[in-house]
Amino acid sequence: MVGAATRPDPRPAESPDEFGDLDGYVGALGGLTRRDFLKFCTGIAATLGLSPAFGVTIANAATSPRRPPVIWISAQECTGCTESLLRAYHPTIESLILDHISLDYHEVLCAGAGHQAEEFKHRSMEENWGQYVMVVDGSIPTRDGGIYCKIAGETVLDIARHTAEGAAAVIAIGSCAAWGGIPASDPNPTDARPASDIITDKPVVNIPGCPPNPYNFLATVLHFLTFNELPGLDEKNRPRFAYGRLIHENCERRPHFDAGRFAREFGDPGHRQGWCLYQLGCKGPETYANCPAIGFNDVGESAWPVGIGAPCFGCTEQGIGFTKSLHSLSSVQSLTPPTAFPRIVETSDTGITPAAAALAAGIGGAAIGAGAVLASRLAKHAPAEGEGPGNEGRREDR
Amino acid sequence: MAINRRAFLKGMAADGAAGAAAVVTIGATGEAVAGGGFQRTPFEMPADAVGLLYDSTLCIGCRACQAACKEANGMAAEVPTPYQDWNEGLWDSPTDLSGDTLTVIQVYQDGNMAVKDRAEDGYAFMKRQCMHCTDASCVSVCPVTAMTKDPVTGVVIHHEDRCIGCRYCVLSCPFGVPRYQYDDPFGAITKCQLCTNVPDQEYSACAMVCPTGATLYGRVDDLKAEARLRLAKDPGAEHAYPRGRIGGDNEPNVAPIPVYQDDFYGDNILGGTQCLTLAGVPYDRLGLPLEAPDFSYATLTEGIQHTLYRYMILPAVVLGGLVTLAWRNSRRHKPEDWD
């Protein structure tokens, strides 16, 4: 276990006989000589696919001041989230767990195993009660008391509840932990629930995705480490920096959507030319995530499902991925229709300007004045025109 | 004729009043006896009439129909003045039907526009194009039969070679559809003809490209049956919305039924239209007239005109009266009075 390597038991070495009894053994590496310890660290580096020189880094990290401990609880999951995390490059996972955090318990990355690992987890929790970061990976079964997923004889349900009690922050990584994911899909035989259903007394940060982009997780953790507070969250407790926008909004194929160019079936000319995948069932228009903006695996912007021609599956969105059928059309979510849409009745202008009103009033006033003058003059001439002979006389004049 | 200015004006006023009264009487009578009297028999829709069913609740505002329409009809992109500061002509963005735009997606907006297809604090899309009225006003008013109704498909067709550019059709249409190319010195009237004018086009381009089935092509009877089927289902129930044309090979779009208005638009209003509309917000908010009779205005105008001018009897009587009057006046005043 990497975390164990970073925190050797400071107590003096026990007698070598006790190696046989792991149940009573309390310090996985505490009994080693310096040489053996470095050899172990180099071995860990090799396990992680690092150069042997990192063994020294690990050793240094092990003796550096205390870093925030992280307890990673795995429930009903596929390890995809961890696999995704292992493929991060900035920071790399080893720099994260060696320089920034102390990953005290993680079932996949544990160097130790069995009671040894369990023991270490309990001790870390005791020592750091109220300070450690808890990460939940996978959904938690609740049917029949949660017996469908047990670790070290304890149900994950109990483990999650107990671990959460002493956690400073809880992060649910992956769609299983965030919404229930695959285990919670119909018919949900284990009554799998997301972490936020089990841990109700403190906020659970959701990093949904199947798997989530590792940087969304790393950035959340590093934000917490740097500022000692969580990043801004949306109403579904997702970090806004990562899940603030629809995939549709940043999608590189969006212009094709706006121009009405849709791939009709896989492999047709439109599909081959990179047209919009909406009609193939792309869930981008109703899924919030930053996939098109940052891509996966640091190999370029197109390294995400839509980029390689597969419609978005909606894995990060509650009620879409694992719920809605693959090829059903998404209902386009947008808070307001774009302003570029003409209205039913298009208003042409903003109304009357004060200058125009003043001009109109001036003209009106002048007209009234002129009318009044004209009327008064007519009144003066009226008696002369009223008589019949006057008219005839005028005609004779002509 | 010894008539002074005062008497002349009095006479003019009386004539005007009598004329107005006559018009009012004819109008009132026409309304009162709608269905008989002046009104002519409404036209029947051809048995194989074709049209479109536009379902506003399915529309996602992608404007694929707009683009496809322009392409099929070979029309130029249009950038209205308010958009020209950011749009240099690359992006077709018509605000309304025009001489270069036969169909356009418009949006109804209210309040904070939070929910689609809701009248209050919501929004809804609307596709505008020719409704292909069963008894079309534009066909009725055209003095040179440049607008005709296809006897088989019922499509209202505009024959540019016959058109004299009087633009009566523009004024007569209750939906404001036919438009004139005012910016062209040799402009023409343009309107949607359901792509019957486009060579080798199987059916309307707008329906062909619609990804959701919001614009659906088919026989009007089939479209009405489809609309009634949607209206009969409970909101939330799943429905397989046909895409493209009814009876085509496209996969249907399976989606839940939304909350619709009580009926679809275009069954009887204004004599019925071949293009039907379904929506979740009241139709008048989408720019479709609801306060309109169940018969085409053409039945009334044509009825009145054809009654007044039947066999030219009434014009002959009026002319006779005028001639008599003129003759009597000229006899009363001898030529020597004409000084």
Side-chain angles (χ1 to χ4, degrees), chain B residues 65-80 87-104 181 183-184 190:
Chain B
C65 48
Q66 248 176 262
C69 177
K70 289 244 158 150
E71 203 177 321
N73 289 281
M75 290 185 144
E78 201 182 337
V79 185
N87 184 344
E88 292 170 342
L90 292 171
W91 208 254
D92 179 42
S93 47
T95 54
D96 200 355
L97 298 177
S98 76
D100 287 321
T101 303
L102 306 184
T103 187
V104 66
Q181 295 168 328
D183 53 349
D184 184 347
T190 59

Side-chain angles (χ1 to χ4, degrees), chain B:
Chain B
M1 184 179 176
I3 185 164
N4 61 21
R5 181 174 164 276
R6 184 184 173 81
F8 174 73
L9 287 177
K10 269 169 74 179
M12 289 294 284
D15 286 352
V23 169
V24 168
T25 315
I26 288 170
T29 323
E31 288 287 347
V33 295
F38 285 112
Q39 198 175 28
R40 73 146 161 75
T41 322
F43 295 150
E44 293 287 321
M45 193 182 292
D48 285 326
V50 294
L52 300 172
L53 170 61
Y54 172 71
D55 191 331
S56 168
T57 65
L58 285 177
C59 182
I60 54 170
C62 70
R63 291 182 273 203
C65 48
Q66 248 176 262
C69 177
K70 289 244 158 150
E71 203 177 321
N73 289 281
M75 290 185 144
E78 201 182 337
V79 185
T81 322
Y83 296 167
Q84 277 168 3
D85 51 347
W86 60 265
N87 184 344
E88 292 170 342
L90 292 171
W91 208 254
D92 179 42
S93 47
T95 54
D96 200 355
L97 298 177
S98 76
D100 287 321
T101 303
L102 306 184
T103 187
V104 66
I105 295 289
Q106 294 182 329
V107 73
Y108 160 75
Q109 302 179 335
D110 184 82
N112 64 12
M113 296 164 266
V115 179
K116 190 171 180 283
D117 302 316
R118 192 172 67 180
E120 275 74 41
D121 279 343
Y123 69 98
F125 292 113
M126 178 62 195
K127 179 177 188 284
R128 294 193 59 201
Q129 89 276 322
C130 177
M131 308 297 272
H132 296 281
C133 304
T134 307
D135 198 340
S137 298
C138 55
V139 174
S140 167
V141 298
C142 186
V144 292
T145 60
M147 285 282 186
T148 57
K149 208 158 162 59
D150 190 286
V152 179
T153 60
V155 175
V156 178
I157 295 169
H158 177 246
H159 305 271
E160 205 178 312
D161 48 349
R162 296 182 196 168
C163 180
I164 55 170
C166 72
R167 304 189 277 271
Y168 278 4
C169 49
V170 177
L171 291 170
S172 72
C173 179
F175 301 101
V177 170
R179 296 293 167 119
Y180 184 75
Q181 295 168 328
Y182 284 101
D183 53 349
D184 184 347
F186 301 100
I189 294 285
T190 59
K191 70 177 274 302
C192 157
Q193 302 177 53
L194 287 183
C195 286
T196 52
N197 53 321
V198 180
D200 302 326
Q201 182 83 14
E202 203 184 334
Y203 59 98
S204 304
C206 56
M208 224 176 230
V209 298
C210 182
T212 64
T215 305
L216 180 66
Y217 177 89
R219 288 180 63 248
V220 178
D221 289 347
D222 296 346
L223 294 175
K224 286 185 176 175
E226 171 68 24
R228 293 201 175 97
L229 189 62
R230 294 179 193 180
L231 290 165
K233 287 196 176 180
D234 292 329
E238 230 169 46
H239 183 71
Y241 295 94
R243 278 192 271 206
R245 68 188 299 175
I246 288 189
D249 338 315
N250 290 351
E251 286 272 309
N253 167 22
V254 180
I257 291 276
V259 179
Y260 284 119
Q261 292 291 299
D262 292 338
D263 202 357
F264 64 89
Y265 188 92
D267 196 10
N268 294 314
I269 200 152
L270 291 165
T273 58
Q274 289 177 212
C275 289
L276 315 170
T277 308
L278 264 172
V281 303
Y283 295 108
D284 51 351
R285 311 237 180 156
L286 298 177
L288 295 170
L290 277 180
E291 300 291 324
D294 273 353
F295 55 84
S296 168
Y297 292 123
T299 60
L300 209 55
T301 54
E302 270 186 41
I304 292 169
Q305 296 264 358
H306 294 180
T307 307
L308 291 180
Y309 288 92
R310 180 167 297 157
Y311 310 122
M312 294 300 280
I313 290 174
L314 209 52
V317 168
V318 171
L319 183 65
L322 287 171
V323 167
T324 310
L325 205 63
W327 178 73
R328 281 178 57 192
N329 279 341
S330 64
R331 207 178 50 162
R332 208 184 302 158
H333 303 284
K334 298 282 177 278
E336 49 266 34
D337 293 343
W338 302 352
D339 49 348

